[in-house]
Amino acid sequence: MINHDDALKAVESSLDRPSAARIYDYFIGGTTNYAIDRDFAEKVRKRLPLMGDYCLTSRQFLGRAIRECVRAGIRQFVDIGSGLPTAGNVHEVADETREELDTRVLYIDNEPIALAHSTLLLADTADPERHQAIAADFLRPEDLWDRVSTSDIIDVRAPIALVINAVMHFVKDEQNPDRLLAYYRERLAPGSLLVLSQMTNENPVNEDERQALIDLLEYYESTTNPGFLRSMTEFERFFGGWPLVEPGLVYAPAWHPDEHTVFAGSPSESRVIGGVARKP
């Protein structure tokens, strides 16, 4: 955890290009974003008018997945690529679901700006004995897991919900995501749950949407996190063959929808796929 002054300096020094974390925050109605992020987001929205709804879909899936994990008995959460604390954080959803307030959450991000905002915002909304944010890189799994295992709040010997939500579309195949996911899956205790989601390019409604998704990736090349879209088949391998919690790998709005779920009537239009798997 960085201190308050260092956090402020990190925020001030991060405004030379759009931040994927702050763009996402803007799209889901957050306030931790700046003009450079909003300008980029509106450029994307002109090409993909429903981009804000896609981002909201990812956020809603996260909330529903956390609730189901708590109901399944999980008390520890490791959120890799957590981004900016905003409405519906993992620790907030977990505490709302379990009144005993005994769940623990470790947020992890490699972007200094995300960690800086986490430091500033968690101070107002979290219990430091149960909720922490640390810096580590998903692409450096050994270092990341060492930091998890030596943290004050996570017991790696017990089941964990490992959350990697709306992250894998920022990991290209040449970065060997299969090896990365295999490493993390191997370190989880039996009974752990793996929560994964990402944007997909499967089944565009027409040629214009197909091209718009290609354009989206080109736009994101200018941000802190270039992107990469996958089909259902390409994405399913990241669960490593673990049994999927019902209803399996689906378009995110079809995963335990509630009254707030966007695209509930037409899940395939959401552009987001996700699922939860349990380690045997």
Side-chain angles (χ1 to χ4, degrees):
M1 183 78 75
I2 60 177
N3 64 43
H4 187 276
D5 290 341
D6 288 342
L8 288 174
K9 291 177 182 177
V11 172
E12 292 168 358
S13 66
S14 70
L15 303 180
D16 60 330
R17 57 179 173 158
S19 157
R22 295 195 308 257
I23 295 164
Y24 181 81
D25 177 74
Y26 175 71
F27 272 130
I28 63 174
T31 58
T32 312
N33 49 76
Y34 300 91
I36 193 170
D37 310 302
R38 295 189 287 271
D39 290 345
F40 178 89
E42 290 307 322
K43 174 185 175 181
V44 170
R45 200 194 301 271
K46 286 181 181 178
R47 191 68 185 92
L48 274 171
L50 294 178
M51 188 65 184
D53 290 332
Y54 302 158
C55 293
L56 182 58
T57 293
S58 293
R59 194 67 180 179
Q60 290 182 338
F61 168 76
L62 173 65
R64 298 195 306 274
I66 297 308
R67 284 195 290 272
E68 291 302 319
C69 287
V70 172
R71 291 167 183 159
I74 296 293
R75 300 293 176 259
Q76 303 185 105
F77 296 84
V78 175
D79 186 358
I80 300 179
S82 54
L84 297 169
T86 187
N89 292 297
V90 172
H91 71 276
E92 294 171 329
V93 175
D95 280 355
E96 289 170 2
T97 308
R98 185 164 170 80
E99 62 183 16
E100 290 85 349
L101 303 181
D102 58 355
T103 55
R104 297 171 176 266
V105 180
L106 186 63
Y107 294 104
I108 302 174
D109 208 284
N110 69 327
E111 278 201 73
I113 184 61
L115 182 66
H117 282 297
S118 294
T119 300
L120 297 172
L121 299 179
L122 284 179
D124 296 328
T125 67
D127 176 353
E129 294 186 359
R130 297 189 295 120
H131 312 131
Q132 295 179 12
I134 63 173
D137 191 340
F138 174 74
L139 302 178
R140 298 180 59 196
E142 293 85 358
D143 174 71
L144 184 150
W145 203 252
D146 180 64
R147 296 182 185 216
V148 172
S149 61
T150 57
S151 72
D152 296 334
I153 63 172
I154 299 297
D155 179 2
V156 296
R157 299 166 298 180
I160 293 168
L162 181 63
V163 179
I164 308 175
N165 184 61
V167 170
M168 296 308 297
H169 47 239
F170 295 124
V171 182
K172 297 184 178 182
D173 277 353
E174 53 262 39
Q175 294 170 296
N176 205 348
D178 299 273
R179 182 188 73 83
L180 296 169
L181 268 298
Y183 180 91
Y184 293 118
R185 290 194 307 266
E186 288 170 5
R187 267 117 197 108
L188 293 173
S192 292
L193 295 175
L194 178 61
V195 180
L196 296 176
S197 77
Q198 84 151 80
M199 280 194 67
T200 182
N201 54 5
E202 187 162 311
N203 299 323
V205 296
N206 53 38
E207 179 61 23
D208 182 64
E209 185 182 38
R210 185 193 69 79
Q211 185 59 51
L213 292 169
I214 293 173
D215 294 343
L216 175 68
L217 297 182
E218 293 180 357
Y219 292 170
Y220 266 83
E221 287 292 327
S222 67
T223 74
T224 57
N225 298 92
F228 188 86
L229 304 183
R230 295 181 176 88
S231 68
M232 286 267 196
T233 300
E234 292 169 330
F235 187 66
E236 186 171 13
R237 71 185 196 266
F238 295 149
F239 292 100
W242 290 2
L244 286 158
V245 175
E246 290 295 330
L249 175 57
V250 294
Y251 286 98
W255 204 91
H256 296 273
D258 58 28
E259 66 275 17
H260 304 295
T261 302
V262 294
F263 297 111
S266 53
S268 65
E269 295 179 13
S270 70
R271 298 290 104 219
V272 181
I273 53 179
V276 178
R278 183 183 300 276
K279 184 169 186 175

